[in-house]
Amino acid sequence: MGVPTDDAVLIQKGKKAGDPHVITVNCPDKHGLGCDICRVILDFGLYITKGDVSTDGIWCYMVFWVVPHSSSPFVRWPSLKNRLQSLCPSCSVTFYFNGQPSNSAASPVYLLKFFCLDRKGLLHDVTQVLSELELTIQKVKVTTTPDGRVLDLFFITDNMELLHTKERQDDTYKQLNAVLGESCMSCELKLAGPEYECHQGISSLSPAIEEELFRFELSDKETRSQDLSSDMARLKKANVVIDNSLSPAHTLVQILCVDHKGLFYDVLRTLKDCNIKIAYGRFSLNSNGYRDLDLFIQQNDGKKIVDPDKQDGLCSRLKMEMLHPLRVIISNRGPDTELLVANPVELSGAGRPRVFYDVTLALKSLGICVFSAEIGRYSSSEREWEVYRFLLEENCRFKYSSTVARNEIVDRVRRLLMGW
């Protein structure tokens, strides 16, 4: 007989406005579960104020205190619980014999295509509707015609796995029509065909852009297209210390760094990709913009990390992911101005949530229209990256040839992405 799973995830709402909500996960453990949980929490627009994680390698217990980000106050709490429960391995006897849950089939990809008159903020408004409907954008292709019309192709998956039903499709059309209004000339939703594969990659990047976008270290050189802001300079103060003296079985990793949106996800995805197991972890409250993280870890073979080269490699990797989790630059693409944003992809193939949402929100707040946009995967520095490219329309407020204007755009986008 299996153990009931209804209580694998519990969500306790805050008693009054402003109080954090408490998410408790109590279920069988699997490699990278903490990372997967933090990714979903980030996907729902929630900020983790503090957390505790512990496991004996068979069963895990995680507690996260969360609050909604100001940019995304709307949260579907029942859907969040369902999503988190779907990540928990089966609590049945079969799990203990097999050690792993059965692999679920990949979600089908749908093509949402609409043709309408363009306006400021349209791209983000559509993105917000899709986010609230729990439809995840996998790829996007946005094209503006010379007469001010826009053809948008969104390749999406349904986190609720209901998009094949007429009721779910009708609800999607209804929500989109409320945003698009009478300016919409056509809107179509169907299963994606071969055209999805055609939009998997992105157009090539110049060597100079590739070097700047995917460099390992932050740079203070004046030759960069934009100087480091004071916030970015503070990021360079991240400190990672490894100690093997406090536990006979585990290596302690102590991290002090500037707080940012998705910090816990960035740390846990790095350890997941490095095949490191967390026995216990504690994430402290934000203190003057900084965070303390204490993690007791082991290698996949159950041993401490004693090799100096492995210790240095892990510290360097953690620092890089905390210092530079998202890359934002502006460059020239022929006569046009292009905004590029990139983030590393997990080895599992999962990308970072809500990047497109945040970038389009930042551009909307600046009053900048997007002439064309695309999302694709790009391999560089022996890693796979998710790259977002936006060709920006001419704007009377921003002279894109001005370094000051470019810095303002990059700074606004980066601040929203980092939650500053």
Side-chain angles (χ1 to χ4, degrees):
M1 178 182 295
V3 180
T5 61
D6 291 345
D7 293 333
V9 177
L10 297 175
I11 299 178
Q12 182 180 352
K13 300 288 189 66
K15 294 182 179 180
K16 60 180 185 294
D19 283 355
H21 311 286
V22 182
I23 300 174
T24 304
V25 180
N26 186 20
C27 68
D29 196 14
K30 69 174 181 180
H31 179 65
L33 179 60
C35 167
D36 299 340
I37 295 290
C38 287
R39 187 196 310 117
V40 170
I41 290 175
L42 178 61
D43 195 16
F44 273 75
L46 294 168
Y47 167 72
I48 300 175
T49 62
K50 66 175 181 176
D52 281 281
V53 177
S54 61
T55 179
D56 59 3
I58 299 176
W59 201 272
C60 72
Y61 184 75
M62 292 180 276
V63 185
F64 298 100
W65 287 259
V66 303
V67 294
H69 281 286
S70 58
S71 62
S72 51
F74 180 80
V75 180
R76 293 175 181 257
W77 295 103
S79 296
L80 172 61
K81 180 174 180 178
N82 291 337
R83 285 276 301 280
L84 293 175
Q85 285 193 154
S86 70
L87 295 175
C88 298
S90 170
C91 296
S92 67
V93 174
T94 306
F95 171 82
Y96 293 103
F97 283 106
N98 294 338
Q100 292 291 336
S102 58
N103 293 325
S104 57
S107 298
V109 179
Y110 289 82
L111 169 61
L112 170 65
K113 177 169 63 174
F114 61 87
F115 185 56
C116 68
L117 296 177
D118 196 14
R119 62 171 173 79
K120 290 182 179 179
L122 175 65
L123 189 56
H124 176 72
D125 292 344
V126 172
T127 301
Q128 183 173 6
V129 168
L130 297 180
S131 176
E132 292 178 354
L133 287 168
E134 295 183 61
L135 299 171
T136 298
I137 300 171
Q138 302 295 338
K139 306 291 174 187
V140 66
K141 184 68 175 180
V142 176
T143 306
T144 304
T145 63
D147 60 353
R149 306 185 187 208
V150 62
L151 175 64
D152 287 3
L153 305 179
F154 285 86
F155 296 92
I156 57 178
T157 54
D158 184 8
N159 294 324
M160 299 174 66
E161 301 286 355
L162 294 173
L163 204 50
H164 62 282
T165 66
K166 185 177 184 303
E167 181 180 2
R168 177 74 159 151
Q169 291 183 8
D170 288 345
D171 187 36
T172 302
Y173 282 125
K174 179 182 177 181
Q175 300 291 339
L176 286 169
N177 286 330
V179 169
L180 299 175
E182 297 180 356
S183 67
C184 183
M185 285 158 271
S186 67
C187 184
E188 181 182 4
L189 179 64
K190 64 179 182 179
L191 277 170
E195 66 269 29
Y196 177 63
E197 298 300 327
C198 296
H199 290 86
Q200 284 287 81
I202 62 171
S203 49
S204 62
L205 302 172
S206 70
I209 294 300
E210 183 175 344
E211 193 277 332
E212 182 172 5
L213 196 60
F214 304 125
R215 62 158 54 99
F216 283 101
E217 300 294 337
L218 289 173
S219 173
D220 291 305
K221 293 181 179 179
E222 295 297 327
T223 54
R224 287 195 66 196
S225 62
Q226 59 272 163
D227 297 329
L228 288 175
S229 66
S230 58
D231 287 321
M232 293 299 288
R234 287 174 67 223
L235 277 176
K236 296 173 73 76
K237 297 180 181 179
N239 189 33
V240 182
V241 176
I242 285 183
D243 190 339
N244 276 314
S245 65
L246 297 179
S247 170
H250 301 92
T251 294
L252 171 63
V253 177
Q254 294 178 299
I255 300 171
L256 174 65
C257 63
V258 173
D259 195 17
H260 69 257
K261 185 191 298 185
L263 171 62
F264 304 143
Y265 166 66
D266 288 324
V267 172
L268 296 186
R269 71 173 168 81
T270 302
L271 296 177
K272 177 184 178 182
D273 284 352
C274 292
N275 221 11
I276 299 294
K277 299 188 296 184
I278 301 174
Y280 176 76
R282 171 169 289 179
F283 314 131
S284 70
L285 290 167
N286 184 315
S287 177
N288 296 320
Y290 285 86
R291 288 281 193 159
D292 282 306
L293 289 78
D294 294 315
L295 303 165
F296 286 88
I297 62 174
Q298 290 178 327
Q299 298 179 113
N300 196 44
D301 58 7
K303 297 180 180 179
K304 300 167 69 171
I305 305 175
V306 295
D307 184 285
D309 291 336
K310 289 184 178 180
Q311 292 181 3
D312 291 342
L314 179 60
C315 289
S316 296
R317 179 70 180 272
L318 283 168
K319 282 185 178 181
M320 182 182 72
E321 301 298 344
M322 289 183 298
L323 296 178
H324 221 357
L326 292 144
R327 321 296 176 90
V328 185
I329 65 172
I330 277 187
S331 68
N332 295 325
R333 187 175 177 182
D336 301 313
T337 301
E338 183 175 43
L339 172 71
L340 296 102
V341 179
N343 58 268
V345 176
E346 291 181 36
L347 290 181
S348 66
R352 189 185 193 87
R354 299 181 73 83
V355 174
F356 195 78
Y357 180 100
D358 285 340
V359 176
T360 55
L361 177 57
L363 294 177
K364 178 183 178 180
S365 70
L366 291 168
I368 296 175
C369 286
V370 176
F371 180 77
S372 70
E374 60 178 326
I375 305 174
R377 298 291 174 95
Y378 199 89
S379 295
S380 179
S381 304
E382 300 181 351
R383 301 188 67 180
E384 187 176 30
W385 301 81
E386 204 158 44
V387 179
Y388 302 76
R389 306 182 71 168
F390 302 85
L391 279 184
L392 307 181
E393 288 190 358
E394 291 297 326
N395 188 292
C396 59
R397 175 185 170 187
F398 292 98
K399 303 299 181 183
Y400 298 137
S401 59
S402 165
T403 301
V404 174
R406 290 187 173 214
N407 286 347
E408 184 178 349
I409 295 169
V410 168
D411 190 59
R412 179 70 65 88
V413 171
R414 184 185 286 122
R415 281 178 172 277
L416 202 53
L417 286 168
M418 300 291 278
W420 293 335

mmCIF file of all heavy atoms in Angstrom, residues 19-43:
data_model
loop_
_atom_site.group_PDB
_atom_site.id
_atom_site.type_symbol
_atom_site.label_atom_id
_atom_site.label_comp_id
_atom_site.label_asym_id
_atom_site.label_seq_id
_atom_site.Cartn_x
_atom_site.Cartn_y
_atom_site.Cartn_z
ATOM 1 N N ASP A 19 2.640 39.305 5.280
ATOM 2 C CA ASP A 19 3.269 38.150 5.917
ATOM 3 C C ASP A 19 3.631 37.108 4.857
ATOM 4 O O ASP A 19 2.879 36.911 3.890
ATOM 5 C CB ASP A 19 2.324 37.504 6.935
ATOM 6 C CG ASP A 19 2.240 38.283 8.234
ATOM 7 O OD1 ASP A 19 2.987 39.271 8.364
ATOM 8 O OD2 ASP A 19 1.439 37.903 9.107
ATOM 9 N N PRO A 20 4.774 36.429 5.023
ATOM 10 C CA PRO A 20 5.129 35.390 4.050
ATOM 11 C C PRO A 20 4.207 34.182 4.157
ATOM 12 O O PRO A 20 3.656 33.894 5.216
ATOM 13 C CB PRO A 20 6.572 35.020 4.440
ATOM 14 C CG PRO A 20 6.693 35.404 5.873
ATOM 15 C CD PRO A 20 5.812 36.595 6.063
ATOM 16 N N HIS A 21 4.021 33.505 3.037
ATOM 17 C CA HIS A 21 3.315 32.234 3.003
ATOM 18 C C HIS A 21 4.356 31.122 3.168
ATOM 19 O O HIS A 21 5.501 31.262 2.719
ATOM 20 C CB HIS A 21 2.567 32.078 1.684
ATOM 21 C CG HIS A 21 1.746 33.282 1.315
ATOM 22 N ND1 HIS A 21 0.565 33.596 1.929
ATOM 23 C CD2 HIS A 21 1.965 34.264 0.400
ATOM 24 C CE1 HIS A 21 0.065 34.697 1.405
ATOM 25 N NE2 HIS A 21 0.909 35.133 0.474
ATOM 26 N N VAL A 22 3.975 30.019 3.796
ATOM 27 C CA VAL A 22 4.919 28.949 4.085
ATOM 28 C C VAL A 22 4.578 27.726 3.232
ATOM 29 O O VAL A 22 3.462 27.204 3.294
ATOM 30 C CB VAL A 22 4.893 28.567 5.579
ATOM 31 C CG1 VAL A 22 5.932 27.478 5.861
ATOM 32 C CG2 VAL A 22 5.163 29.787 6.444
ATOM 33 N N ILE A 23 5.542 27.295 2.421
ATOM 34 C CA ILE A 23 5.396 26.098 1.585
ATOM 35 C C ILE A 23 6.228 24.983 2.202
ATOM 36 O O ILE A 23 7.437 25.128 2.381
ATOM 37 C CB ILE A 23 5.860 26.362 0.144
ATOM 38 C CG1 ILE A 23 5.028 27.478 -0.495
ATOM 39 C CG2 ILE A 23 5.779 25.092 -0.690
ATOM 40 C CD1 ILE A 23 5.519 27.890 -1.874
ATOM 41 N N THR A 24 5.574 23.876 2.529
ATOM 42 C CA THR A 24 6.254 22.720 3.110
ATOM 43 C C THR A 24 6.152 21.544 2.154
ATOM 44 O O THR A 24 5.057 21.204 1.690
ATOM 45 C CB THR A 24 5.631 22.328 4.462
ATOM 46 O OG1 THR A 24 5.664 23.458 5.347
ATOM 47 C CG2 THR A 24 6.398 21.184 5.099
ATOM 48 N N VAL A 25 7.295 20.928 1.859
ATOM 49 C CA VAL A 25 7.341 19.750 0.992
ATOM 50 C C VAL A 25 7.920 18.604 1.807
ATOM 51 O O VAL A 25 9.031 18.706 2.348
ATOM 52 C CB VAL A 25 8.200 19.998 -0.268
ATOM 53 C CG1 VAL A 25 8.220 18.756 -1.149
ATOM 54 C CG2 VAL A 25 7.675 21.203 -1.044
ATOM 55 N N ASN A 26 7.187 17.500 1.898
ATOM 56 C CA ASN A 26 7.576 16.352 2.714
ATOM 57 C C ASN A 26 7.299 15.087 1.901
ATOM 58 O O ASN A 26 6.159 14.635 1.806
ATOM 59 C CB ASN A 26 6.769 16.361 4.021
ATOM 60 C CG ASN A 26 7.207 15.283 4.988
ATOM 61 O OD1 ASN A 26 8.315 14.758 4.890
ATOM 62 N ND2 ASN A 26 6.337 14.941 5.918
ATOM 63 N N CYS A 27 8.344 14.539 1.284
ATOM 64 C CA CYS A 27 8.133 13.433 0.338
ATOM 65 C C CYS A 27 9.433 12.664 0.131
ATOM 66 O O CYS A 27 10.489 13.067 0.629
ATOM 67 C CB CYS A 27 7.652 13.988 -1.001
ATOM 68 S SG CYS A 27 8.898 14.963 -1.895
ATOM 69 N N PRO A 28 9.389 11.540 -0.622
ATOM 70 C CA PRO A 28 10.633 10.847 -0.969
ATOM 71 C C PRO A 28 11.575 11.779 -1.727
ATOM 72 O O PRO A 28 11.131 12.695 -2.422
ATOM 73 C CB PRO A 28 10.162 9.689 -1.863
ATOM 74 C CG PRO A 28 8.751 9.462 -1.469
ATOM 75 C CD PRO A 28 8.203 10.808 -1.117
ATOM 76 N N ASP A 29 12.864 11.558 -1.566
ATOM 77 C CA ASP A 29 13.858 12.430 -2.181
ATOM 78 C C ASP A 29 14.240 11.914 -3.566
ATOM 79 O O ASP A 29 14.049 10.737 -3.886
ATOM 80 C CB ASP A 29 15.103 12.496 -1.292
ATOM 81 C CG ASP A 29 16.004 13.664 -1.654
ATOM 82 O OD1 ASP A 29 15.532 14.554 -2.395
ATOM 83 O OD2 ASP A 29 17.157 13.687 -1.199
ATOM 84 N N LYS A 30 14.756 12.802 -4.376
ATOM 85 C CA LYS A 30 15.381 12.445 -5.648
ATOM 86 C C LYS A 30 16.407 13.520 -5.968
ATOM 87 O O LYS A 30 16.346 14.640 -5.434
ATOM 88 C CB LYS A 30 14.352 12.337 -6.777
ATOM 89 C CG LYS A 30 13.726 13.667 -7.188
ATOM 90 C CD LYS A 30 12.839 13.511 -8.409
ATOM 91 C CE LYS A 30 12.245 14.858 -8.830
ATOM 92 N NZ LYS A 30 11.382 14.728 -10.024
ATOM 93 N N HIS A 31 17.357 13.190 -6.819
ATOM 94 C CA HIS A 31 18.422 14.138 -7.146
ATOM 95 C C HIS A 31 17.840 15.382 -7.804
ATOM 96 O O HIS A 31 17.079 15.301 -8.770
ATOM 97 C CB HIS A 31 19.432 13.486 -8.093
ATOM 98 C CG HIS A 31 20.546 14.412 -8.490
ATOM 99 N ND1 HIS A 31 21.462 14.912 -7.585
ATOM 100 C CD2 HIS A 31 20.886 14.948 -9.691
ATOM 101 C CE1 HIS A 31 22.322 15.691 -8.198
ATOM 102 N NE2 HIS A 31 21.983 15.743 -9.482
ATOM 103 N N GLY A 32 18.181 16.546 -7.264
ATOM 104 C CA GLY A 32 17.768 17.808 -7.850
ATOM 105 C C GLY A 32 16.356 18.246 -7.511
ATOM 106 O O GLY A 32 15.859 19.215 -8.088
ATOM 107 N N LEU A 33 15.698 17.574 -6.565
ATOM 108 C CA LEU A 33 14.320 17.932 -6.236
ATOM 109 C C LEU A 33 14.224 19.369 -5.717
ATOM 110 O O LEU A 33 13.306 20.112 -6.082
ATOM 111 C CB LEU A 33 13.740 16.957 -5.207
ATOM 112 C CG LEU A 33 12.298 17.237 -4.758
ATOM 113 C CD1 LEU A 33 11.341 17.184 -5.949
ATOM 114 C CD2 LEU A 33 11.865 16.241 -3.683
ATOM 115 N N GLY A 34 15.168 19.788 -4.869
ATOM 116 C CA GLY A 34 15.142 21.145 -4.345
ATOM 117 C C GLY A 34 15.236 22.176 -5.454
ATOM 118 O O GLY A 34 14.546 23.206 -5.422
ATOM 119 N N CYS A 35 16.071 21.905 -6.453
ATOM 120 C CA CYS A 35 16.200 22.796 -7.605
ATOM 121 C C CYS A 35 14.877 22.891 -8.354
ATOM 122 O O CYS A 35 14.421 23.983 -8.714
ATOM 123 C CB CYS A 35 17.305 22.293 -8.527
ATOM 124 S SG CYS A 35 17.339 23.059 -10.155
ATOM 125 N N ASP A 36 14.244 21.736 -8.584
ATOM 126 C CA ASP A 36 12.977 21.712 -9.323
ATOM 127 C C ASP A 36 11.887 22.462 -8.562
ATOM 128 O O ASP A 36 11.077 23.180 -9.163
ATOM 129 C CB ASP A 36 12.541 20.269 -9.569
ATOM 130 C CG ASP A 36 13.550 19.485 -10.400
ATOM 131 O OD1 ASP A 36 14.364 20.127 -11.085
ATOM 132 O OD2 ASP A 36 13.520 18.237 -10.356
ATOM 133 N N ILE A 37 11.860 22.298 -7.231
ATOM 134 C CA ILE A 37 10.876 23.011 -6.414
ATOM 135 C C ILE A 37 11.100 24.523 -6.521
ATOM 136 O O ILE A 37 10.152 25.303 -6.711
ATOM 137 C CB ILE A 37 10.972 22.568 -4.940
ATOM 138 C CG1 ILE A 37 10.586 21.084 -4.779
ATOM 139 C CG2 ILE A 37 10.117 23.462 -4.046
ATOM 140 C CD1 ILE A 37 9.145 20.782 -4.998
ATOM 141 N N CYS A 38 12.353 24.962 -6.411
ATOM 142 C CA CYS A 38 12.654 26.396 -6.476
ATOM 143 C C CYS A 38 12.347 26.978 -7.853
ATOM 144 O O CYS A 38 11.943 28.139 -7.962
ATOM 145 C CB CYS A 38 14.117 26.642 -6.115
ATOM 146 S SG CYS A 38 14.482 26.433 -4.353
ATOM 147 N N ARG A 39 12.527 26.179 -8.910
ATOM 148 C CA ARG A 39 12.200 26.663 -10.252
ATOM 149 C C ARG A 39 10.701 26.940 -10.379
ATOM 150 O O ARG A 39 10.287 27.956 -10.942
ATOM 151 C CB ARG A 39 12.629 25.666 -11.324
ATOM 152 C CG ARG A 39 12.453 26.230 -12.741
ATOM 153 C CD ARG A 39 12.492 25.191 -13.846
ATOM 154 N NE ARG A 39 13.624 24.312 -13.741
ATOM 155 C CZ ARG A 39 13.514 22.997 -13.530
ATOM 156 N NH1 ARG A 39 12.322 22.457 -13.363
ATOM 157 N NH2 ARG A 39 14.580 22.247 -13.466
ATOM 158 N N VAL A 40 9.869 26.037 -9.847
ATOM 159 C CA VAL A 40 8.420 26.247 -9.918
ATOM 160 C C VAL A 40 8.005 27.448 -9.077
ATOM 161 O O VAL A 40 7.160 28.252 -9.491
ATOM 162 C CB VAL A 40 7.669 24.977 -9.456
ATOM 163 C CG1 VAL A 40 6.179 25.258 -9.282
ATOM 164 C CG2 VAL A 40 7.872 23.849 -10.459
ATOM 165 N N ILE A 41 8.596 27.594 -7.897
ATOM 166 C CA ILE A 41 8.292 28.753 -7.054
ATOM 167 C C ILE A 41 8.628 30.050 -7.793
ATOM 168 O O ILE A 41 7.865 31.018 -7.779
ATOM 169 C CB ILE A 41 9.067 28.656 -5.721
ATOM 170 C CG1 ILE A 41 8.490 27.514 -4.861
ATOM 171 C CG2 ILE A 41 9.005 29.968 -4.951
ATOM 172 C CD1 ILE A 41 9.264 27.249 -3.587
ATOM 173 N N LEU A 42 9.770 30.073 -8.470
ATOM 174 C CA LEU A 42 10.159 31.232 -9.269
ATOM 175 C C LEU A 42 9.193 31.439 -10.427
ATOM 176 O O LEU A 42 8.822 32.574 -10.760
ATOM 177 C CB LEU A 42 11.590 31.052 -9.782
ATOM 178 C CG LEU A 42 12.171 32.150 -10.675
ATOM 179 C CD1 LEU A 42 12.215 33.471 -9.943
ATOM 180 C CD2 LEU A 42 13.570 31.755 -11.161
ATOM 181 N N ASP A 43 8.749 30.350 -11.043
ATOM 182 C CA ASP A 43 7.842 30.411 -12.181
ATOM 183 C C ASP A 43 6.500 31.036 -11.803
ATOM 184 O O ASP A 43 5.837 31.664 -12.629
ATOM 185 C CB ASP A 43 7.622 29.006 -12.742
ATOM 186 C CG ASP A 43 7.002 29.017 -14.129
ATOM 187 O OD1 ASP A 43 7.014 30.068 -14.784
ATOM 188 O OD2 ASP A 43 6.496 27.969 -14.563
#
